[in-house]
Amino acid sequence: MDFVYSIDDSILWFIRNHLVTEFLTPVLKFITTLGNAGLIWIAFTILMLIYKPTRKVGIISAIALVEEFILCNGILKNVIRRARPWTRIEGLTPLVTKPTDFSFPSGHSSSSFAVGFTMFRKADKKIGIPALILAILIAASRLYVAVHYPTDVLAGLLIGIIFSYIGEFTYNKVKEYMEHRNES
């Protein structure tokens, strides 16, 4: 674990010492708040549910979002209980209000990729590509503002991508069951 921490620490210090600027800080602080409580992704999911041509993508996104939330915020954060970076890296101060939950995995990253990656895969590219770009920016912003380790963000990203596929699988199985049930 020391090896992982040394890489995580080095990346966070590199970001702090070489990438943090007066121009980028307000931009990335705003971007990171878009992911708070997954609200932007919940809003996008609701919009897709309302609009008939994107309803299927909305349903898949909703399933993925609920499933990843249960795993990340309900289970993994509370089982792993990884402390936030500023609690063990002396001199590293977050650029936003300190979150009070545990660090691993990044909930912002997992929710962003659960929906953003689903939109990228399943929706028209006019909305899918911007959604994926926003997901990437939100995940990266968590490192910039120093509230997550890189491995937290990477794990959240992978969990989100996996649940994008699991959400689609769940949707297809429920749809198949309902169609079979209606035929009987």
Side-chain angles (χ1 to χ4, degrees), residues 41 61 64-65 68 106-121 131-140 153-165:
W41 303 111
S61 294
L65 201 54
E68 74 74 25
S106 166
H108 279 67
S109 300
S110 62
S111 64
S112 293
F113 277 84
V115 178
F117 191 70
T118 298
M119 291 173 73
F120 176 73
R121 289 188 319 107
L132 184 60
I133 291 169
L134 181 60
I136 292 165
L137 289 172
I138 289 173
V153 170
L154 180 60
L157 179 150
L158 293 173
I159 289 166
I161 288 171
I162 290 166
F163 276 99
S164 171
Y165 288 104

Side-chain angles (χ1 to χ4, degrees), residues 5 14 18 28 37 39 60 70 85 93 104-105 107 112 116 120 137-139 142 145 160-161 166:
Y5 273 124
F14 177 84
H18 300 286
L28 287 169
L39 291 178
I60 294 168
I70 291 168
T93 310
F104 185 91
S112 293
F120 176 73
L137 289 172
I138 289 173
R142 304 307 282 167
V145 300
I161 288 171
I166 292 173

Side-chain angles (χ1 to χ4, degrees), residues 31-110:
I31 288 170
T32 213
T33 61
L34 291 175
N36 289 354
L39 291 178
I40 189 91
W41 303 111
I42 293 168
F44 286 161
T45 299
I46 291 168
L47 288 173
M48 288 187 295
L49 289 168
I50 292 169
Y51 186 57
K52 189 170 180 150
T54 59
R55 191 163 295 145
K56 178 181 176 181
V57 181
I59 294 169
I60 294 168
S61 294
I63 294 167
L65 201 54
V66 168
E67 290 172 337
E68 74 74 25
F69 177 79
I70 291 168
L71 179 67
C72 287
N73 293 69
I75 299 170
L76 291 177
K77 280 186 184 267
N78 295 305
V79 169
I80 296 169
R81 303 175 65 87
R82 187 179 197 187
R84 297 282 179 164
W86 68 85
T87 65
R88 58 166 293 286
I89 303 174
E90 190 175 324
L92 185 68
T93 310
L95 301 177
V96 293
T97 304
K98 295 177 179 178
T100 57
D101 62 346
F102 295 107
S103 193
F104 185 91
S106 166
H108 279 67
S109 300
S110 62

